[in-house]
Amino acid sequence: MNVTSSNKKWFDELTLELRMRDVFGHAIGDAVATARELLLDTGQSAEEAFGPARAYAASLDLPRGSGHDWATRGLWTSMFGLLAFSLFVQTVGAWTQEELLLITPAQLVIAAALGGLVALLPLYLAAAIRRPWLLVLLFAVGAGCGFLWSAMTPATTAEAWISLDPLPWLLGSAIAMVLLSTWNTIQTLRRGNLDDITAPIPARPAAGIRGMRVFVMFTNWLFPLFAAIMLCVVILFTT
């Protein structure tokens, strides 16, 4: 790994660590710009000049939020959104076909596993953020549980342990997704430009920053959007 790629990795890690400490975007931009300027003067690599990115981020006294808002704004709501979307997926088929939602003990175990994945989030949240592959694995496990739930759906009520009207669960999951997306949107608007990483001398035009904000707002509504698309597809193919 050459110095340039090594420095890029180091600055990516520094930005991530400062984000995890809920440091405001402009302060992150200042810290990165200052570190880059020093490296240009000394010719050293970032690791040589500052040490590990995580330790350097911890040593900086920068303006920040409450310290844990990044988790509340992002991953917590995303995980609950995934649970609500998974429930929506499982109930939409039964509702459109005017059937009961049939549940077996094995499916309840899967549901409990998904619930436990979310409940234990504080134990592995930081590790998952620092290791993207682990975050991908967690979402893959969630998707796999959803697939297993569908595969284990009994064919008749006699095989089911619980039979439920799917409509309340369908509406509940849809409302939950909308509420979570609304909460994320409110948080994004309240933060304003605090999350925008800007250098002391901006290199990115204002249009690029606005585009990034639009993208963030769009991602806030991905689960309701996917749910609406799935509902339309299921209705189209069952009528």
Side-chain angles (χ1 to χ4, degrees):
M1 181 182 294
N2 58 42
V3 173
T4 301
S5 60
S6 176
N7 283 349
K8 182 181 184 304
K9 182 176 182 294
W10 189 91
F11 278 110
D12 288 342
E13 291 177 358
L14 175 64
T15 301
L16 175 61
E17 291 295 333
L18 293 177
R19 277 294 195 201
M20 291 178 65
R21 288 167 171 77
D22 205 28
V23 174
F24 297 145
H26 67 86
I28 295 177
D30 289 343
V32 169
T34 300
R36 289 188 185 278
E37 184 176 353
L38 182 59
L39 294 183
L40 288 175
D41 292 338
T42 63
Q44 295 177 290
S45 70
E47 188 80 19
E48 293 171 340
F50 306 109
R54 184 176 179 181
Y56 181 68
S59 70
L60 297 176
D61 184 16
L62 300 174
R64 66 187 69 191
S66 65
H68 297 286
D69 286 350
W70 57 274
T72 304
R73 291 196 308 272
L75 280 183
W76 272 112
T77 49
S78 295
M79 292 297 289
F80 282 117
L82 178 61
L83 288 178
F85 179 73
S86 299
L87 179 59
F88 183 90
V89 170
Q90 305 308 323
T91 56
V92 66
W95 176 71
T96 54
Q97 297 176 26
E98 299 182 350
E99 298 175 350
L100 292 174
L101 180 62
L102 306 179
I103 302 174
T104 64
Q107 288 176 304
L108 290 179
V109 171
I110 293 174
L114 278 174
L117 197 66
V118 174
L120 296 176
L121 189 59
L123 299 180
Y124 58 79
L125 181 57
I129 290 295
R130 293 188 176 102
R131 299 170 179 82
W133 63 266
L134 182 56
L135 197 59
V136 172
L137 177 62
L138 290 172
F139 278 96
V141 169
C145 287
F147 174 78
L148 286 176
W149 175 289
S150 299
M152 293 179 177
T153 300
T156 64
T157 54
E159 300 174 0
W161 191 39
I162 301 175
S163 301
L164 300 172
D165 180 359
L167 182 58
W169 299 92
L170 182 73
L171 292 176
S173 60
I175 292 172
M177 284 187 287
V178 171
L179 289 177
L180 288 168
S181 295
T182 301
W183 171 259
N184 283 339
T185 300
I186 292 173
Q187 293 301 306
T188 300
L189 293 175
R190 286 180 60 186
R191 294 281 294 187
N193 61 0
L194 292 179
D195 287 330
D196 296 334
I197 298 179
T198 55
I201 301 177
R204 183 169 52 177
I209 295 176
R210 287 196 297 270
M212 182 59 68
R213 290 180 187 172
V214 170
F215 175 76
V216 171
M217 297 291 283
F218 173 74
T219 57
N220 287 340
W221 290 88
L222 278 182
F223 283 128
L225 177 62
F226 287 157
I229 293 174
M230 174 165 288
L231 179 61
C232 293
V233 170
V234 172
I235 291 177
L236 179 64
F237 283 94
T238 55
T239 56

